[in-house]
Amino acid sequence: MKVPITLILFFICSILTAQDVIVVDWSPEYKLTLADFKSENTQIGETNLYSVYSSASLDYSVQMSNIQFMLTKNFNSKVSNRFFPESATIIAPDEDTALKMVDFAQYEFDVCELYARKFRKTLYEEKGTFSDISYVQPLFDNIRKEYNDRITKAGKTTDLGKKTEELKTLHEEVLKEIDELSDFCKTCKPKKKKK
């Protein structure tokens, strides 16, 4: 059987394109820079507008049988906070404004980590021995709403990072809260509660 050459090329291009996707998992050492905003829509100069889309994403993925799910208590590794440079966009009239937008995006990436940890903690605390997967979605929806509300409020309060002192204060609070949830990093194992 002959396969049309266009289908083969499409398949090869799809594989090559998929391999080019860059994803950055959150870590305390990784700090965003202007170079991380790789979207073709990023524009610095020749505009009076300013905006930032960080592309930080809070996701969870649970692929296991019902039995495995019932026997699992720690879901830390199933909840991810990722940054997608190819989607990240900054529009700014000048580099100084753009760098403030980068600081706001870093704040957003860190807030995303905070809510990833809050979600991991909630999953850990709410999971009963015979819980099924249905308990997860309402918890995720609630965490996502809290995250969105916090980012929206910070965007207004700091004018997307242009008010640097206000952003610095908010960012310090978030970093402290992240530290307080150290048992709920992606690779951590929460300590069992003493009875």
Side-chain angles (χ1 to χ4, degrees), residues 23-190:
V23 178
V24 177
D25 284 308
W26 185 91
S27 79
E29 294 81 29
Y30 191 86
K31 301 300 175 205
L32 299 177
T33 68
L34 196 51
D36 288 312
F37 293 79
K38 297 182 183 297
S39 166
E40 63 185 33
N41 295 314
T42 290
Q43 177 184 345
I44 307 206
E46 299 181 20
T47 182
N48 293 327
L49 303 173
Y50 61 94
S51 69
V52 59
Y53 173 67
S54 77
S55 79
S57 175
L58 171 61
D59 301 304
Y60 74 95
S61 174
V62 179
Q63 296 178 349
M64 55 180 68
S65 70
N66 285 338
I67 299 292
Q68 288 172 314
F69 185 83
M70 285 192 290
L71 298 174
T72 301
K73 180 79 171 161
N74 178 3
F75 290 94
N76 286 1
S77 66
K78 308 295 184 189
V79 178
S80 299
N81 171 19
R82 295 183 172 140
F83 176 84
F84 297 85
E86 301 299 324
S87 301
T89 308
I90 286 182
I91 298 172
D94 53 58
E95 190 170 332
D96 183 54
T97 304
L99 292 172
K100 290 175 181 173
M101 305 288 109
V102 171
D103 290 343
F104 186 81
Q106 181 66 57
Y107 167 80
E108 187 173 350
F109 197 21
D110 291 340
V111 171
C112 197
E113 177 61 19
L114 172 61
Y115 282 89
R117 290 181 185 212
K118 286 184 176 203
F119 184 49
R120 292 174 189 129
K121 181 179 185 213
T122 302
L123 288 174
Y124 184 77
E125 291 175 345
E126 299 287 326
K127 171 74 167 60
T129 305
F130 297 106
S131 297
D132 65 27
I133 191 78
S134 65
Y135 91 104
V136 175
Q137 190 64 46
L139 299 175
F140 183 74
D141 291 343
N142 187 49
I143 287 290
R144 187 172 41 199
K145 182 186 180 315
E146 288 178 23
Y147 164 76
N148 287 335
D149 289 348
R150 190 163 185 171
I151 290 299
T152 301
K153 185 177 177 184
K156 289 178 183 177
T157 301
T158 68
D159 195 15
L160 293 180
K162 289 180 74 179
K163 296 178 181 175
T164 55
E165 287 305 310
E166 287 90 336
L167 181 61
K168 182 180 176 187
T169 300
L170 292 176
H171 205 165
E172 287 171 357
E173 290 170 12
V174 166
L175 295 174
K176 182 180 177 196
E177 288 179 68
I178 288 171
D179 190 50
E180 290 169 357
L181 292 170
S182 61
D183 284 352
F184 296 96
C185 75
K186 188 171 183 172
T187 58
C188 297
K189 185 174 180 181

